[in-house]
Amino acid sequence: MDSLHLLPFRLNQHQLAVPLTVVHKVLPALLWTPLPGAPASVDGIINVAGVPLVQVNLARCFGWSEPILQLWRPLIWLRLKQRQILIPVDQVEPVVCVDSALLVKNSDPQINSSMLQGVICTDNGLMLIQDIEQLLSDADELLLQDALQQSADRVQS
């Protein structure tokens, strides 16, 4: 049996997950600084122990309403191919291991979403498995890189 190790989380009453292989760690809520010129899906940038990380608003990526601000709002630190990012979520749940045969892939006509790797039916409903590489499009990546460079240039001058 091939298995998937997933980090489930909740956002706006939805159950989602990311593959554990892309998770660096979970952090408590941190204050972000707006980044002028960044894509609409980016809240801003956060300095975590000297590492500048972009906070991507997953609710905005999906076109969902903005979550209610909470005092404790965990951030999931993810490793994408081009960069590391943080995504704020409502709640992080314990890691699960599921049979990969249960994954209905995004190529299925009933799913057909480039934002997802697929879905898994659980006893509690559907779990949306996020394709984190799709959070920032190529155009978003260019905008973000330009905004980061402009920000660095302002700091140096």
Side-chain angles (χ1 to χ4, degrees), residues 54-91:
V54 174
Q55 179 172 301
V56 176
N57 188 314
L58 189 56
R60 212 173 293 141
C61 291
F62 277 127
W64 296 342
S65 61
E66 293 287 325
I68 298 168
L69 290 178
Q70 303 170 21
L71 182 58
W72 166 251
R73 186 130 197 253
L75 297 169
I76 303 175
W77 184 340
L78 301 171
R79 294 181 304 257
L80 281 68
K81 288 178 185 164
Q82 291 191 339
R83 72 178 63 252
Q84 298 180 54
I85 64 168
L86 299 168
I87 58 170
V89 300
D90 295 333
Q91 177 184 349

Side-chain angles (χ1 to χ4, degrees), residues 23 27-28 100 105 127 135 137 156:
V23 176
L27 299 170
S100 59
K105 297 191 178 191
M127 182 184 301
L135 290 178
S137 68
Q156 291 175 0

Side-chain angles (χ1 to χ4, degrees), residues 8-65:
F9 60 92
R10 295 210 167 263
L11 180 63
N12 282 14
Q13 312 292 318
H14 299 283
Q15 185 177 3
L16 297 104
V18 290
L20 194 56
T21 56
V22 300
V23 176
H24 180 63
K25 63 173 76 174
V26 177
L27 299 170
L30 299 168
L31 185 61
W32 48 268
T33 301
L35 183 61
S41 61
V42 171
D43 287 331
I45 194 163
I46 300 173
N47 179 348
V48 180
V51 178
L53 298 172
V54 174
Q55 179 172 301
V56 176
N57 188 314
L58 189 56
R60 212 173 293 141
C61 291
F62 277 127
W64 296 342
S65 61

Side-chain angles (χ1 to χ4, degrees), residues 88-104:
V89 300
D90 295 333
Q91 177 184 349
V92 177
E93 298 174 359
V95 170
V96 297
C97 181
V98 298
D99 184 346
S100 59
L102 297 175
L103 179 68
V104 179

